[in-house]
Amino acid sequence: MPDGEKVQTKAKVGDNLLDVIIENSVDVDGFGACEGTLACSTCHLIFKQTDFEQLPSPPTDEELDMLDLAFDLHETSRLGCQVIVTKEMEGWEIKVPAGVSDAREPS
């Protein structure tokens, strides 16, 4: 997906954002390489500050460890496999960083 391109998707409450990308066949190179097992950082997403503050649960220590390995890390970064869709997320714009870092691959 080219940098800056916007894609609108549908999501089901209760799905995680990794599943939303996959189910909507959004073409993001390398996204979700570990298939949501919290073993990589390829589903890294960046939220607007106001939206980030509304997420229903904070990141776990395991998620934070994986995020430390992500490219273009922000204070509002989360892994899509760990963020569950809620009704309040309707209309949110979530950024996919241009680069992907797979934590499973040696540096």
Side-chain angles (χ1 to χ4, degrees), residues 10-63:
K10 293 185 179 189
K12 292 182 265 179
V13 171
D15 279 355
N16 66 50
L17 291 176
L18 171 62
D19 290 340
V20 171
I21 296 289
I22 292 168
E23 290 170 8
N24 285 277
S25 301
V26 178
D27 184 22
V28 180
D29 189 37
F31 196 86
C34 77
E35 300 176 347
T37 60
L38 199 53
C40 70
S41 57
T42 61
C43 64
H44 172 211
L45 300 171
I46 303 168
F47 292 83
K48 293 178 184 175
Q49 183 67 43
T50 54
D51 295 340
F52 182 81
E53 293 168 359
Q54 294 180 53
L55 291 172
S57 60
T60 63
D61 289 340
E62 293 84 4
E63 180 181 357

Side-chain angles (χ1 to χ4, degrees), residues 71-83:
F71 290 136
D72 197 21
L73 188 64
H74 287 72
E75 288 185 17
T76 60
S77 291
R78 291 292 303 269
L79 296 180
C81 66
Q82 300 300 300
V83 178

